Amino acid sequence: MSDTPKTRLATDLIHAGRIRTNIEENAEALFLTSGFTYESAEMAEAVFDNRVEHFQYSRFANPTVTMLERKLAKIEGAEACRATATGMAAVSSALLCGIKAGQRVVAARALFGSCHWIVSTLLPQYGVETVFVEGTDMAEWKAALSQPTALVLLETPSNPMLDIVDLRAVSDLAHAAGAIVVVDNVFATPLLQKPLELGADVVVYSATKHMDGQGRVLGGAVLGSKQWMETVFQPFFRNTGPAMSPFNAWVILKGLETMHLRVAAQSKSAEAIAQFLEASPKIARALYPTLASHPQRELAMAQMSDGGTLVTFEVKGGKEAAFRMMNAFRIITISNNLGDTKSLATHPATTTHLRIGAEERARLGITDGCIRLSVGLEDTQDLIEDLARGLAQA
Ligand SMILES: *Cc1c(COP(=O)(O)O)cnc(C)c1O
């Protein structure tokens, strides 16, 4: 429409991408249907021959899911978006859709556990050479990207140690090596960091996290250029079937309406909590991107507009102290999800990062005293009192 006004983030989170039926419903409609019908056989033929645009089958596209995809594309500033069943469906599809045997993938070592498995174990099974680098070390990136490479994968801030990778510098090196850059932007959310503006080609999300934000459904999203989406991603997506359920899309659409308020409040709380933890004599170190003590604070502040909702800290006294602290919490619950309105604590060494092994954990700095805290929307002071309750037992 020519009279569509230019709008800002909060408005787009509410209104962007809407498809309204002739019933003129206010809230987005939930199209809980697997298929769509055609008024004639000729019409079906025309649709399958791409002569007429029409929904066909919810593995390919569904109106509720399309609303979510359009909203996410607008918020990210991307030309195209496809929603997927989970965050891992987004990551695995984005990697597998274009990669071929004999090609090379370079990834930052500090990745979400399942992403790490795809690079270390799955891709080599298909004849793809994979190389891990220390994401914070530009010399390692430079050496790894001195050879032709097809794809670079990284996460910043990383899970769970909140390492910051220089998106602009790595994208420049990757492009010179012929690679596309895929960024897992879950920890930063589309609100706090814009990888596409810093040179990345594809952004992936677990919508399970801050987008739903209330711990209800799984989902994921892949965003990139129209050209890549149509020619590389779409054939893989359509034929392998990682599509999102319309019900989950409908829940996530509702979550997005308040995401900016939640992420802002949770980030503010997270920073106060990180400062509180850092001051405790029972804590060996507290990691949060905006803390003066964070080794890459300057880079974090240059490429992020806020520190995010996660704090990772190391309790003195190893696993026993960490377990005693977690077991003493009365408000914070033990769960490996994140981005929820409920504050959640996890012990990465024995849960999310158990399977990568002790050696790789040591390399990543994930010690047995480390706890990852996803800061929720509870009162900040109540959370600090709960952490103090835990520290008293640690
Ligand atoms: C949760 C998460 C994923 C995987 O998402 P699911 O929705 O659980 O499949 C991938 N990357 C990061 C950084 C995550 O936090």
Side-chain angles (χ1 to χ4, degrees):
M1 273 187 294
S2 57
D3 63 348
T4 302
K6 212 169 152 41
T7 48
R8 297 168 184 80
L9 177 70
T11 308
D12 293 338
L13 284 166
I14 309 276
H15 293 292
R18 184 178 54 217
I19 298 168
R20 190 170 269 163
T21 74
N22 58 13
I23 290 172
E24 309 217 41
E25 68 283 356
N26 180 35
E28 291 80 356
L30 169 51
F31 290 92
L32 206 50
T33 177
S34 41
F36 301 85
T37 60
Y38 313 95
E39 63 194 18
S40 65
E42 288 78 8
M43 172 75 161
E45 182 187 32
V47 169
F48 273 77
D49 195 32
N50 286 332
R51 281 180 275 125
V52 175
E53 213 177 304
H54 189 288
F55 286 99
Q56 295 159 270
Y57 187 54
S58 288
R59 168 150 51 78
F60 310 157
N62 170 283
T64 308
V65 180
T66 300
M67 284 191 261
L68 175 65
E69 291 168 340
R70 290 184 184 177
K71 196 187 291 278
L72 291 178
K74 181 80 198 289
I75 292 159
E76 192 71 43
E79 289 174 5
C81 172
R82 290 314 315 251
T84 55
T86 65
M88 284 322 302
V91 175
S92 57
S93 305
L95 295 189
L96 291 168
C97 67
I99 203 81
K100 296 181 183 66
Q103 288 184 329
R104 189 162 187 275
V105 169
V106 175
R109 187 184 308 286
L111 289 178
F112 183 76
S114 296
C115 301
H116 192 279
W117 181 84
I118 288 176
V119 174
S120 68
T121 308
L122 183 68
L123 291 178
Q125 282 178 23
Y126 292 99
V128 175
E129 181 194 352
T130 65
V131 179
F132 279 116
V133 298
E134 179 56 54
T136 57
D137 186 341
M138 285 313 301
E140 285 200 22
W141 282 111
K142 203 170 266 178
L145 293 170
S146 60
Q147 297 174 45
T149 300
L151 189 145
V152 163
L153 173 67
L154 64 94
E155 190 179 306
T156 181
S158 71
N159 176 42
M161 301 312 282
L162 308 179
D163 289 343
I164 310 294
V165 180
D166 189 332
L167 287 166
R168 170 69 68 191
V170 172
S171 296
D172 287 348
L173 286 172
H175 291 155
I180 65 158
V181 177
V182 180
V183 175
D184 183 336
N185 204 37
V186 168
F187 273 39
T189 80
L191 308 177
L192 307 184
Q193 178 169 272
K194 300 275 185 215
L196 298 178
E197 289 175 10
L198 296 166
D201 303 285
V202 175
V203 180
V204 292
Y205 288 101
S206 165
T208 315
K209 312 295 168 56
H210 306 82
M211 290 180 182
D212 170 18
Q214 289 145 89
R216 299 165 293 193
V217 298
L218 299 178
V222 178
L223 298 111
S225 70
K226 197 163 178 281
Q227 155 82 12
W228 179 81
M229 200 64 81
E230 282 175 5
T231 60
V232 183
F233 189 81
Q234 184 63 19
F236 181 91
F237 178 87
R238 186 184 163 99
N239 293 303
T240 62
M244 177 184 276
S245 147
F247 179 79
N248 289 8
W250 179 78
V251 172
I252 294 165
L253 276 166
K254 288 289 131 199
L256 285 174
E257 293 186 355
T258 56
M259 180 167 69
H260 59 308
L261 300 175
R262 288 183 281 104
V263 168
Q266 289 169 232
S267 297
K268 187 157 177 266
S269 214
E271 185 173 48
I273 284 167
Q275 286 164 352
F276 164 78
L277 289 167
E278 190 168 47
S280 165
K282 292 197 172 181
I283 296 290
R285 58 178 177 152
L287 294 166
Y288 186 72
T290 62
L291 283 188
S293 58
H294 193 289
Q296 299 153 290
R297 177 178 195 273
E298 228 168 280
L299 175 60
M301 293 298 83
Q303 64 185 25
M304 297 173 73
S305 59
D306 207 345
T309 67
L310 287 122
V311 180
T312 298
F313 56 96
E314 184 183 350
V315 190
K316 290 177 186 168
K319 177 179 165 182
E320 288 70 27
F323 275 27
R324 281 197 303 273
M325 179 170 182
M326 290 170 73
N327 291 338
F329 293 151
R330 289 295 168 266
I331 296 168
I332 299 163
T333 44
I334 300 172
S335 176
N336 48 279
N337 196 10
L338 62 93
D340 197 326
T341 50
K342 296 182 174 72
S343 289
L344 308 173
T346 190
H347 184 252
T350 54
T351 60
T352 54
H353 290 70
L354 174 69
R355 285 193 181 80
I356 65 168
E359 196 182 315
E360 189 72 350
R361 276 198 299 279
R363 226 180 270 160
L364 292 168
I366 305 172
T367 63
D368 289 349
C370 276
I371 295 175
R372 187 194 73 191
L373 178 66
S374 170
V375 177
L377 208 45
E378 301 95 338
D379 185 277
T380 309
Q381 200 51 41
D382 286 341
L383 293 176
I384 287 177
E385 286 169 18
D386 208 35
L387 288 160
R389 198 173 287 129
L391 283 169
Q393 300 304 314

